[in-house]
Amino acid sequence: MNFTLRQVSYLVAVAEHGTLAAAAAALHVSPSAISVALDELDRALGVQLTLRRRAHGVRLTPAGRAAATRGRRLLRDAGELATSVGGSGEVAGVVSVGCYPTLAPAVVAPWIAALRERHPRTRVEFVEDDQDRLQRRLLDGELDLAVLYDHGLSSGLDTERIAANVPYLLVARDHPHAGVGPVDLRVVADEPMVLLDLPPSSDHALAVCRELGVTPRIEHRTRSPEMVRALVGQGLGWSVLAQAAPDPSTTVARVPLDREPPPLPVVAAWSRAITRSPVVRAMLDARP
């Protein structure tokens, strides 16, 4: 091997930050040091990995994008090796986890705690993103695992079911149907709806409405679950959500539906093309 992990880490940093200056700031080195390392990596691999023009920043070539993807895996494997050479057999290393935003508080937070309790020398780096981007990042090798809804997933992913969320009606705390037992969704059919406009949640919520005979009058759309709760809490509409975590808000109320739609399965997903490392397997085993 005629290249170094340092050179690979500089390429990955440029891919993630987009410019030499931003990558240099993140790594606490000079832009010129990164530029020299990239030139050395080009010569070592015999291919041009980046296009660097002063007025246009840095772009990765197709070979550069492929090298950055493989480089991320190489750096994670090297980090895991470095933290596990003590000979104790203890699982150690970093696992990169992506999560659909509405699932993170209920699923990922307790999962990280369970993993750290079993394996103190592990560390979880997690990101929240929409379902499509998380799938792409899994397939590109940027993430080890992702927590997703089992809806429209790529055939290149393997999955393990970890939960199932039941949809419910969300209304303001002072709504006439707050605190009432299961209700027919049609009781709010004439009122405006606040839609969590973040697929697949939006697709599922609208499918629930159709199944229960309601054509919603969507007044507000937002990609933020917190904004959904804020708008509903102000009496500006109702919503259909499927989050499992208890809602700490005192301004909204959850009301079960009398015709309960099928649960929406939640899965842990990983790329079928990438072998799971010991720390990834340990995280799957540690799921609470």
Side-chain angles (χ1 to χ4, degrees):
M1 187 177 70
N2 56 351
F3 59 87
T4 67
L5 290 177
R6 177 183 60 83
Q7 293 164 350
V8 173
S9 70
Y10 286 4
L11 175 66
V12 169
V14 167
E16 292 177 348
H17 294 280
T19 67
L20 290 181
L27 296 173
H28 307 291
V29 298
S30 68
S32 61
I34 292 184
S35 182
V36 169
L38 294 178
D39 289 339
E40 292 171 347
L41 190 57
D42 282 354
R43 289 192 291 271
L45 298 179
V47 64
Q48 184 174 356
L49 302 175
T50 59
L51 297 173
R52 283 167 274 162
R53 293 180 290 176
R54 188 176 299 276
H56 300 279
V58 180
R59 286 195 301 114
L60 268 64
T61 65
R65 290 193 294 272
T69 295
R70 296 179 70 90
R72 290 186 186 95
R73 301 176 202 164
L74 177 61
L75 293 172
R76 284 205 293 272
D77 288 345
E80 189 169 297
L81 174 63
T83 57
S84 62
V85 294
S88 65
E90 181 183 0
V91 175
V94 179
V95 56
S96 298
V97 178
C99 191
Y100 186 76
T102 63
L103 298 172
V107 178
V108 175
W111 200 351
I112 293 174
L115 176 68
R116 290 299 301 275
E117 183 176 359
R118 287 194 188 187
H119 305 289
R121 297 180 65 203
T122 60
R123 183 165 60 88
V124 175
E125 296 176 346
F126 71 91
V127 297
E128 297 173 86
D129 212 332
D130 68 43
Q131 187 119 333
D132 287 341
R133 281 196 287 264
L134 288 173
Q135 289 190 75
R136 287 198 295 271
R137 295 178 76 167
L138 282 173
L139 295 170
D140 287 344
E142 295 180 29
L143 296 172
D144 296 309
L145 288 174
V147 178
L148 306 166
Y149 281 117
D150 190 5
H151 180 89
L153 297 183
S154 166
S155 60
L157 300 178
D158 283 330
T159 63
E160 179 179 307
R161 183 164 169 163
I162 58 176
N165 289 352
V166 177
Y168 56 84
L169 172 65
L170 188 75
V171 295
R173 179 66 69 182
D174 58 0
H175 190 278
H177 294 285
V180 179
V183 300
D184 189 321
L185 188 62
R186 288 174 291 187
V187 300
V188 294
D190 294 331
E191 302 173 25
M193 181 188 189
V194 178
L195 180 68
L196 178 60
D197 198 10
L198 189 65
S201 286
S202 50
D203 301 332
H204 185 250
L206 295 176
V208 167
C209 291
R210 287 193 300 270
E211 183 178 334
L212 300 183
V214 172
T215 301
R217 176 165 59 88
I218 301 172
E219 185 79 13
H220 300 286
R221 297 173 181 265
T222 174
R223 294 173 63 85
S224 164
E226 291 77 13
M227 191 60 175
V228 170
R229 289 192 290 270
L231 292 168
V232 171
Q234 292 294 324
L236 298 174
W238 54 271
S239 191
V240 171
L241 296 178
Q243 294 168 259
D247 195 325
S249 173
T250 59
T251 64
V252 296
R254 299 175 179 219
V255 182
L257 298 168
D258 63 347
R259 286 188 290 157
E260 189 174 280
L264 187 56
V266 178
V267 298
W270 58 90
S271 172
R272 186 171 296 159
I274 301 173
T275 302
R276 285 173 290 168
S277 68
V279 69
V280 172
R281 294 196 297 271
M283 184 160 190
L284 288 170
D285 292 341
R287 179 171 58 85

